[in-house]
Amino acid sequence: MTLSTPRVRTGRITFFVALAVFAQESTWNLYDSQVPPLLREHLGSAALIGALMGMDNLLGIFVQPWMGNRSDGTRTAWGRRIPYLVVGMPVAALLFVAIPHAAASLPLLVLVMFGYALVANSFKPIAESLLPDFIAPERRSRANAAVKIASSITVIVAALISLFLVDDFPKLSFAIPAVLMAGSVAVLAWKVRDSRSPAYQAALEEDRAEPGEASPRVRMRDVLLDIVRDADRSRLLVIAAVFAFGSAWFASRSLITNYGMETLGLSRGDAGGLTLPSGLAFIVAAYPVALLAERFGRLRVILAGMAVFAAAMVLGTAVPTAAGVVAAMCVAAAGAAAFMVNTAVVLWNLAPSARVLGTYSGLYTVGWSGGGFAGPALVGGMVDVTGWRFMLLDVGVVTAVAVLLVARVAALRRHRTDSL
């Protein structure tokens, strides 16, 4: 599949997709940081609070690929993505604003949380699919880097809202990201017609080439069977690698506070701040690793990035001090950027048709969210055996599995000429 777009359009659509993702992730980051205290007012069990907060990841595993597939089969004068965004993003913004107003009642709060998580998960892969719809395969890494940078900045935005507004204006704090989301969808509705995208036009051409088809939609079941039955196995291995590296990444982030307290003797607050500088390291590295991928090949850069991530885990284990761990986490974040920026692009470029790009965006999320769901528990079980002293090394072992999977994909694609 070869899609070409003018350079000016590439820049414009990258900005619009980054804007949409920025608005979405602003709500998600504030949700993750400020909804647990609302639940804490009603629940004394940390496990139950954690289970309710994990509800969005569980929903995402099922909802996102299904909605991506639905949008792939949509045909309107507005395109196949924008209609869902114009409906979904305002509804999600309203539900997000309602969260603090529902906090007085636990059943009502959980109901609004569920509604927000369901709607927000529904359009997340759809917004991200605009990028491969408009942008040619050879330029997708740098465009996705810009989107990842926008997503990373939302962590800072959520932290600033929490720092300056939450204590005095708790309801207003939830309204600000919601306004950003509503504003971004207004811009998208005004400026973007994805019916003009090269991928949409290619999908229409495929529809016309199969006049006997009752519907342009490729069934989710058929997409999955095609991936599983493919003798090449590249797509299945990429999704498995996303799951494995997602497990390592989320484990390294979610368990680091306990690691700092148990191994380094830090307070809860100091241990929680061990990963803050690494967020900046990720932002700095994101665009350079995209350029390197376009120059030397995405699979090579992904493998190098994961090797850097694993080496950083070894470094953190060898130098068990606060400064050593902060340095290790910064190096690890730079290595992780190579994976996060380029792996979705590899999966998009492996898609056999422009008609399934949204579905493939959802399948990437299945691997990533699945890793986020399973990784902390898996590494936590390893810590039960090895002790907290070797937690970072345990993360490195899980990373090695992802390295082997991507190395196998690289071996399978070595003699092929198609661009990933």
Side-chain angles (χ1 to χ4, degrees):
M1 179 177 61
T2 301
L3 307 176
S4 60
T5 55
R7 180 166 298 187
V8 62
R9 176 171 289 184
T10 296
R12 287 180 72 250
I13 198 62
T14 299
F15 170 78
F16 291 133
V17 175
L19 177 66
V21 171
F22 176 84
Q24 293 175 51
E25 293 300 321
S26 293
T27 63
W28 277 119
N29 279 297
L30 194 68
Y31 178 93
D32 288 337
S33 65
Q34 294 303 323
V35 171
L38 298 179
L39 292 171
R40 185 69 181 82
E41 295 176 4
H42 302 280
L43 299 170
S45 169
L48 187 53
I49 292 172
L52 289 171
M53 289 303 298
M55 173 175 57
D56 59 288
N57 279 326
L58 191 59
L59 280 171
I61 292 172
F62 298 99
V63 171
Q64 292 198 29
W66 184 77
M67 284 301 297
N69 181 252
R70 294 291 302 181
S71 72
D72 281 338
T74 299
R75 303 288 184 265
T76 73
W78 223 345
R80 55 182 177 175
R81 316 290 186 201
I82 297 298
Y84 291 96
L85 299 178
V86 168
V87 173
M89 291 179 75
V91 172
L94 289 173
L95 289 167
F96 189 75
V97 168
I99 288 175
H101 296 276
S105 166
L106 179 61
L108 183 59
L109 175 60
V110 173
L111 180 63
V112 175
M113 287 171 58
F114 179 84
Y116 165 75
L118 180 64
V119 176
N121 269 302
S122 296
F123 62 78
K124 189 174 187 295
I126 295 173
E128 294 171 353
S129 297
L130 284 170
L131 192 148
D133 279 352
F134 277 93
I135 296 174
E138 65 271 13
R139 294 182 65 85
R140 286 174 181 169
S141 283
R142 65 181 70 186
N144 200 38
V147 172
K148 294 297 183 184
I149 289 170
S151 177
S152 299
I153 292 173
T154 62
V155 177
I156 299 173
V157 172
L160 291 174
I161 292 174
S162 296
L163 183 62
F164 292 110
L165 292 176
V166 165
D167 289 338
D168 296 325
F169 307 101
K171 293 182 173 64
L172 177 63
S173 300
F174 280 77
I176 291 174
V179 169
L180 289 174
M181 184 182 289
S184 71
V185 73
V187 172
L188 286 171
W190 179 32
K191 291 290 188 179
V192 178
R193 293 292 184 274
D194 71 284
S195 58
R196 303 170 186 168
S197 73
Y200 187 79
Q201 293 300 316
L204 292 180
E205 288 295 328
E206 292 184 45
D207 295 345
R208 286 190 284 268
E210 300 176 11
E213 291 286 330
S215 168
R217 183 185 170 205
V218 179
R219 295 183 305 171
M220 187 73 195
R221 177 175 178 272
D222 294 333
V223 174
L224 293 175
L225 286 176
D226 178 54
I227 292 173
V228 172
R229 291 173 177 173
D230 185 6
D232 181 80
R233 300 293 184 190
S234 293
R235 292 171 291 173
L236 189 62
L237 289 170
V238 169
I239 295 170
V242 171
F243 175 84
F245 190 78
S247 296
W249 171 258
F250 282 105
S252 72
R253 312 299 280 189
S254 63
L255 299 178
I256 193 66
T257 299
N258 285 348
Y259 173 83
M261 295 170 65
E262 296 288 341
T263 302
L264 308 180
L266 301 176
S267 68
R268 179 180 175 184
D270 289 341
L274 288 171
T275 59
L276 182 59
S278 66
L280 298 176
F282 181 95
I283 292 172
V284 170
Y287 199 74
V289 297
L291 298 180
L292 288 171
E294 292 179 1
R295 174 67 178 84
F296 298 105
R298 292 184 179 90
L299 293 176
R300 287 178 184 156
V301 171
I302 290 169
L303 283 169
M306 288 192 295
V308 168
F309 184 90
M313 296 298 101
V314 175
L315 171 64
T317 304
V319 187
T321 65
V325 171
V326 167
M329 296 304 286
C330 287
V331 173
F339 185 94
M340 295 185 197
V341 166
N342 292 299
T343 310
V345 178
V346 169
L347 198 56
W348 287 328
N349 292 356
L350 284 169
S353 164
R355 293 198 292 179
V356 295
L357 287 172
T359 307
Y360 274 58
S361 295
L363 291 174
Y364 175 87
T365 303
V366 167
W368 192 248
S369 297
F373 197 69
L378 172 63
V379 174
M382 296 169 72
V383 168
D384 288 341
V385 176
T386 64
W388 282 104
R389 172 69 178 82
F390 297 101
M391 188 273 287
L392 296 179
L393 192 60
D394 294 335
V395 172
V397 170
V398 176
T399 306
V401 175
V403 171
L404 293 174
L405 290 168
V406 176
R408 178 57 180 162
V409 175
L412 290 171
R413 312 301 297 182
R414 189 165 293 135
H415 301 296
R416 289 179 168 266
T417 58
D418 51 325
S419 173
L420 294 181

